[in-house]
Amino acid sequence: MTDSESGTRTKAARAGRGGKRERLVRAAVQVFHEQGVEKTTLGDIAHAAEVPLGNVYYYFKTKDQLVEAAVAAHCAQLDALTAQLDTLPDPADRLRALVAGWVDQRETAARFGCPFGTLVTELDKRDDGLDRAAAKVMRALLDWVESQFVQLGRADAAALAVELVAAYQGMSVLTNALRDPGLMATQGERLRSWITGIARR
C-alpha cells in the first residue's frame, strides 16, 4: 500500500466517523461523563476526538458551548431511544425495554455513574442557564415514562414516572459508589417485575 493510499483510507475512516464537529460533540459527551465538566479541558476533548486543539475553536469558542452541545446530544439520544421504544406495541414492554437498556450499561455506570444524571448533578450547581437546559432533558424522560403509564390506564402515572426514574438514578449512584454492576442488574430485574405487576392491575 502506498503512502497516498494509506492517507486516503485514514481520511475515509475519519469521515465515516462523522465530521469534526460531530466527533467533538461525541468526545465531549464521553469525556464529561468520565471526568466531569470542571476537570475537563478543551485539550482533553480534542485529544479524544482526534482533532487538533486549534480546530476546536473553529466550532466551539468556549467549553460552555461544548457543554451546551453535549446536552443537546443527550436530548437527541433520548429522542432516538424513545422513538425506537415506541415501535413496541405495548407500553409495559416499552418500559421494560427502557430498564433493560439501563442495565446493559451497568459496567459503564459502575465506573462513571449515569451518563446524563452525573452531568445534570454537576450543572445544577451553576446558574448560567445550562442547569435549566439539562433539566429539560430529564423532564422529557419523565414525560415519556409518564405517557407509558397513562397508556396503562394509571391515574397516578406522573408519580409512577418519578418513582421509576428516581429508582434508576438511585441504583446508578449506588452501582457507581460500590463499583458493583451486579447491583444494577439485580435492581433492574426488580424494576421490570414492578412494571409487570403494575401492568396487570
Side-chain angles (χ1 to χ4, degrees):
M1 179 186 300
T2 67
D3 289 343
S4 176
E5 289 172 334
S6 177
T8 299
R9 289 194 179 185
T10 299
K11 289 178 182 177
R14 289 181 177 173
R17 300 201 315 264
K20 288 181 181 178
R21 187 184 191 283
E22 290 75 18
R23 283 158 51 196
L24 285 166
V25 173
R26 287 198 301 269
V29 169
Q30 175 188 342
V31 180
F32 288 151
H33 182 209
E34 295 177 358
Q35 297 183 182
V37 173
E38 296 306 316
K39 291 182 179 179
T40 297
T41 67
L42 290 178
D44 293 331
I45 295 171
H47 178 73
E50 298 182 14
V51 171
L53 178 57
N55 286 13
V56 176
Y57 296 100
Y58 179 79
Y59 300 99
F60 302 99
K61 303 302 182 189
T62 65
K63 185 168 73 172
D64 280 356
Q65 289 182 350
L66 264 168
V67 174
E68 290 176 10
V71 170
H74 278 291
C75 185
Q77 289 170 2
L78 177 61
D79 288 345
L81 171 62
T82 54
Q84 181 179 10
L85 292 174
D86 281 337
T87 63
L88 297 173
D90 182 69
D93 287 340
R94 295 175 208 142
L95 290 170
R96 284 189 290 263
L98 175 68
V99 174
W102 289 338
V103 172
D104 285 345
Q105 298 299 313
R106 61 190 178 275
E107 296 292 342
T108 299
R111 291 186 64 195
F112 307 113
C114 168
F116 192 64
T118 53
L119 181 61
V120 169
T121 300
E122 190 170 5
L123 295 181
D124 185 59
K125 297 177 177 64
R126 304 170 59 154
D127 59 359
D128 54 6
L130 288 172
D131 55 333
R132 292 187 295 277
K136 287 180 181 178
V137 183
M138 191 66 78
R139 170 49 62 188
L141 173 61
L142 281 167
D143 288 346
W144 183 85
V145 172
E146 180 181 347
S147 73
Q148 306 312 305
F149 285 119
V150 167
Q151 292 176 55
L152 288 171
R154 297 294 304 221
D156 55 350
L160 291 172
V162 170
E163 188 172 350
L164 178 58
V165 174
Y168 164 60
Q169 291 299 329
M171 70 187 192
S172 291
V173 170
L174 285 173
T175 295
N176 179 228
L178 301 176
R179 298 294 192 270
D180 181 7
L183 188 152
M184 179 167 278
T186 300
Q187 294 304 309
E189 185 56 41
R190 289 172 63 89
L191 282 178
R192 287 194 291 270
S193 296
W194 174 73
I195 292 166
T196 298
I198 287 174
R200 289 174 178 168
R201 293 176 191 170

